[in-house]
Amino acid sequence: MPALQLVLASNNAKKLAELQALLTDLPLALLPQRALGISEAEEPHASFIENALAKARHAAAASGGPALADDSGVCVDALGGAPGVISAHYGGLIEPLPDREATRRLQDARNNERLLADLAAQPGAPRRAFFISTLVALRHAADPQPLVAVGRWPGLILDAPRGEQGFGYDPLMFIPELGRSVAELDAVTKNGLSHRARAMVSLREQLREVWGL
């Protein structure tokens, strides 16, 4: 069966690599939306599922074909679920640099700094948090049967970053049963345990059952 090209509603190179690795045994090929000149979608909603659906519909409409979106972030109990859907720019949007990945790294650092500052303002507060991934796949923009999958990965927020792997809040998320932060995990280990991996278990079942892959 020839690979089905699926537009990924993201320009995050590391997210693309993670998701593609989780789909290796299915006849799917992910293509980042920037390769087709598709702009970033608006994400005005209060929940991950609404934003993921909006991003998937935007990419599917612009490409004229199937699309996959992931809306993800970290939710900290002591902060009422924040950063939540604004995880990607919790520290405030920065001016883009010529290098896209350099921009992402700087944005990640700002976001992590704000999260640590907000928790420091609540000494003694519980550090429990969840990485959340909501995946939405559409055959086309008007697909009445979107495939939806949610994955949650619990952990604790550290007092300072640890590790050099991954991206986003990985250096701050400590996984007690592993004794390491997510940024201290190799890619294979992370891809087997992460919130995206957990969401992908459900999505892969749906892709096989509903899309016949």
Side-chain angles (χ1 to χ4, degrees):
M1 178 187 298
L4 174 67
Q5 184 172 286
L6 198 60
V7 175
L8 177 63
S10 172
N11 292 321
N12 186 319
K14 292 199 172 183
K15 182 181 288 190
L16 172 68
E18 272 192 29
L19 290 169
Q20 185 68 75
L22 294 167
L23 290 166
T24 51
D25 64 335
L26 290 179
L28 289 172
L30 290 185
L31 183 68
Q33 60 186 7
R34 70 170 177 272
L36 299 177
I38 299 173
S39 64
E40 298 277 358
E42 294 294 326
E43 301 177 47
H45 304 292
S47 69
F48 293 112
I49 188 169
E50 290 172 296
N51 283 330
L53 186 56
K55 289 193 287 188
R57 281 183 172 150
H58 174 79
S63 68
L68 172 67
D70 166 51
D71 202 54
S72 55
V74 63
C75 293
V76 181
D77 285 357
L79 301 179
V85 296
I86 63 167
S87 292
H89 50 88
Y90 193 52
L93 282 171
I94 65 169
E95 288 294 322
L97 303 173
D99 184 325
R100 182 184 297 274
E101 285 304 299
T103 302
R104 182 192 57 77
R105 288 192 296 270
L106 181 56
Q107 184 72 65
D108 287 350
R110 294 275 181 87
N111 295 338
N112 287 342
E113 288 169 6
R114 180 179 173 187
L115 180 56
L116 290 175
D118 287 352
L119 284 172
Q122 298 189 43
R127 313 286 286 198
R128 191 175 76 144
F130 292 86
F131 270 148
I132 309 292
S133 170
T134 299
L135 300 173
V136 171
L138 299 174
R139 286 173 166 164
H140 50 82
D143 191 344
Q145 189 179 193
L147 306 185
V148 179
V150 179
R152 294 177 176 83
W153 195 12
L156 302 172
I157 301 298
L158 293 163
D159 292 325
R162 280 174 46 178
E164 302 295 330
Q165 306 301 315
F167 59 95
Y169 297 90
D170 288 357
L172 293 183
M173 180 67 93
F174 180 76
I175 308 301
E177 58 267 30
L178 300 179
R180 287 178 285 173
S181 76
V182 175
E184 293 175 310
L185 304 177
D186 61 84
V188 173
T189 301
K190 179 184 176 182
N191 281 345
L193 299 172
S194 75
H195 47 312
R196 289 190 188 89
R198 297 175 187 213
M200 191 60 77
V201 170
S202 173
L203 185 67
R204 287 158 57 90
E205 291 177 357
Q206 295 179 67
L207 286 168
R208 289 192 177 101
E209 178 183 356
V210 183
W211 288 17
L213 297 180

